[in-house]
Amino acid sequence: MIRYLLKQVTSGLITVYFIATATFFAMHAVPGDPLMGGKATTPEIRANLQRKYGLDRPVLEQYTTFLSNMARGDFGISFTQHNRSVNDIIREHFPISAVLGLLAIAVAATGGVMLGSITAIFRNRLPDRAIMVLVIFGVSVPSFVVAALMQLGITELNRLTGLSILPVGGWGEAGHLVLPALALGLSTLAFLTRLMRSSMLEVTGADYIRTARAKGVSPTGIFFGHQLRNAVLPVITVLGPAIAAITTGGFVVEQVFAIPGLGRYFVQAVHQLDYTVIMGLTVFYGAYLVFMVILVDIAYGLIDPRIRVGKAGGSR
Amino acid sequence: MNELKPSDFERAPSRQALHRISRPSLSYWQDAWLRLRRNRQAIFSLGIVMALVFFTLAGPWLWRQDPSTQLLEEASLGPTLGRKAVVVEELDSWSPEFADARATAWDRVQDLRVIGEPTTEGITLQWGPVEGAEGYAIYRTDRKPRGLNRLGLPLAEVKKPGQLSFRDRMNVEPRSYTYTVLPIFKGLEAEVYGRVKVAPRIALKLAAAQRLKAGARVGDTIVLPAHPFGTDSLGRDLLSRIIAGARISLSIGLLAPLLYMLLGVLIGGFAGYSGGRIDLAIVRGIDLVVALPFLLFMILFRIAFGVGPGESGVHAMVVAMVALSWPSSARLVRGQVMQLREAEYVQAARLLGARTGYLLLRHLIPNTMGVILVYLTFAIPSTIFTEAFLSFIGMGVVPPTPSWGSLCNDGIQSFLSHPHEFIFPAIFISVTVLAFNLLGDGLRDALDPKQRGSS
C-alpha cells in the first residue's frame, strides 16, 4: 500500500513538473513581453520593472527560479494588481471555488448513483424513460445554458410569486449555492447516471446475484448488499476526471452567477494578460486536479478489495 | 468391420449444390449500415446532422441577409415576420398647439384624439380645453386601465397656458397603448379624465429607410426585413448570424477532430505496431499530455500563440485542440492495433511476406476504422462544446466574429430582458451536440456490437 502510494505521488509530481514546465515555456513563447501593455513608458521604468519581475535574467535562470519558487509554494506577484501576490489571490478565492465544486460533485455523484439505480430497476418503464430524457438534456446542453435558463426561471418565479425564493447571483449565503451547484453538476450528473445505469444492468445479470436470490436474500438486501456496492465502482473510477470537468466548468458558472471564485479570477487574468497570475493559477489548478485524481485512485483501491493496489500498475 | 466393396471406392456425388450461398454476402460496412438503419434514433440524428450541414452550406444563399448589417432602430427585436413600417422625417418637427382663448371649455377632458399618424417615433394627442384647468397630466399604459387605477406611466404635465396637445416620444413600441389625460386644478389631478387607445405603426427614419430601399420617401410604407429569430443588440439579423456562426462552429467541430484523429491514427498505429522501446516512449509522452488540464492549456496556448484578448484565434484554437487531443486518440488506436497485431489473419499475411506498410494500411487500420469512426462521432460534439465554452468566456471566437459560442456570449448580456438573443444559438449548440451524440450511440451499436450498452 505504501509503495503504491509513493508511486502514485511520484508520478503525480512528475506530471505537475511537466505542467509547470509547459506553462513556463508557453508563456515565454508569447510574442512581445508582459511589460508591453503601456506600463513601461520610459526605458528607465522598463528596466526597473524588468528587474523587479526578474525579466532581465537569462531564460534558463528565470526557469530555475520559477521552479524553485513553485516548489516552495511561492507563485510570485501579480502584474496588474499592485503588489498583490498570487498566493493571496489563491488563498482568498480558491475556497469559494472549492466549496462550489465539491458541492457540485456531491450533487452529481449522489444524484447519478440514485437516478442510475432507479433507471436500472425500472428498466424501460416510465421512470427510466423520464430520467433518460433528463440525462440526454444534461449531456447535450452546455452548462452556461443551464445556468442562464435557471436564472431566467427563478427570476420569473420570483416575479410571479412576489417572493425571493432563491437569489440568482452573488455570494455569501447558503441560498447562493443552490443554483450554481446544480448548473455545474448537471452534466456530470447526467454522465454518471448513464454510467451507473449500464453498470447496474451488467451487475444485475451476474452469477452472484442469482446465487444470493437462490439463497433467499431479500430484494432490498440484494440491492444494497450486492448490486449497489458492485455497480458503484465504475462511477468512482471516473470521479477524478469528473472533478476536473467540474473545476473547469466553474469558470463559466462563476461568470454567470457573479461568484467571486478562482475560476472567474483566472478568466479575468487572461483577459488582462496578467502573466504571473496565469502561470501561477495554471500550475495550481494542474496540481490540484492531478492530486484529486490520485486521491480518487487511492479511495478506489480502499473500496474495492479485488484490486491489489500494490501490484496493479496500470489500474486506470 | 464393414466389408469394403469396390463400389465404396467410387467417386462420391458432388455436394456442391448444398453449399451454395443463398443470401448475398455482406461486407462489414454493409452489415453495419443495415444495423444502423434499423435504429430509428440514429437515423433521425443522421437526418438532423445532414440538415445542419445543408443549413450551413446553403444557408447564405437561401437567407440573403447580411450578418453584419446593423440597424439600430431594430435592435433586440423578438422574432418577427414581414412587418411594415412607415417612413417618417429625419427630424421630428412638432410643436404644441395652443387653444384659441375664445374656444368653449368643457367641465371634463373631451374630444381626446390622435393627430396625424401614430408611429413609434411619436404619438400626438390633442384634446379640448377644460374650464379653469391650470394644466393637464398625461399617463400611458400598455395594459387595460381600470377607472383611475393602473394609469401606467406618468408621461408629462403640460402647464403652459392653453397647451392642449402633447407628443409622446418616449420609447414607443409597436403595441397598443391607452392614454389618460387628467386636468389639474390647483395642483391636484381631477377625476374628469379623457381616454384614448392607440396602436402606433412602426416608423423608420428616412435615412434608414433609404438604406433598406433606395428611393424611399416620407409617407411610404416599406416592408421591413423578416427576422425569424429576431435581432441582436445592434439590430443584426440573428438567423443570418447563426448561419454565419454555424460555419465557424461546425468547421472547427469537424476539422479539429479529423486532424487529431489522423495524427492519432498515424502515431498510435505506429506505436502499437512497433511495440518495444518506441512504443514505451510514445506511451510515456501520451500519458503526460493526457494528464494536462485540457481547458487550461487551451487558454494558455491561445495566449502563447499571441492571440490577445478580443481577437478571434480560430486557427490557434484548432492547432491547440490538435496538439492537446491527439494523444487520447493515439492511445485508442494503439490499443486496437496491438490487439489486431496478434490476430490470425495478420500473422498469416505476415507469413506470406507482407510488408509493414501493407499490413498497416490493408489490415490493421481498416479493421480499426469502426472504432475510430465511433470515436470521431463523439469527438465532434465535444469539440463543438469546447469551442462554445471557450467562446462563451471570451477566449475562443470573440464578437464580432459570430460563432455559436460567441453569439451566446453576446446574448447573455441582455438575457433577462431579451432571452431570444441567447436562446436561439443555445438551441443550435444543444441540438447539434445531441444529434452527434445519438448518432455516435447508434454507430457504436452498429459497428461494434460487442460494446453494446456499455457506458
Side-chain angles (χ1 to χ4, degrees), chain B residues 132-135 137 157 159 183-190:
Chain B
E134 58 192 51
E157 288 188 358
K159 288 229 164 142
I184 303 174
F185 299 104
K186 292 180 189 139
L188 291 172
E189 292 167 8

Side-chain angles (χ1 to χ4, degrees), chain B residues 329-395:
Chain B
S329 59
R331 183 187 266 180
L332 176 89
V333 175
R334 174 185 165 268
Q336 288 286 316
V337 167
M338 281 181 79
Q339 254 178 28
L340 289 177
R341 202 175 55 168
E342 306 305 324
E344 282 83 357
Y345 61 89
V346 177
Q347 285 181 345
R350 196 182 292 140
L351 213 60
L352 289 169
R355 285 202 204 100
T356 309
Y358 177 84
L359 275 180
L360 269 177
L361 291 178
R362 187 81 189 84
H363 288 298
L364 295 181
I365 290 181
N367 278 299
T368 50
M369 236 28 222
V371 182
I372 292 172
L373 192 68
V374 172
Y375 187 88
L376 188 66
T377 328
F378 286 115
I380 292 169
S382 79
T383 308
I384 292 177
F385 239 106
T386 308
E387 184 275 319
F389 180 94
L390 288 173
S391 301
F392 182 76
I393 52 177
M395 284 174 200

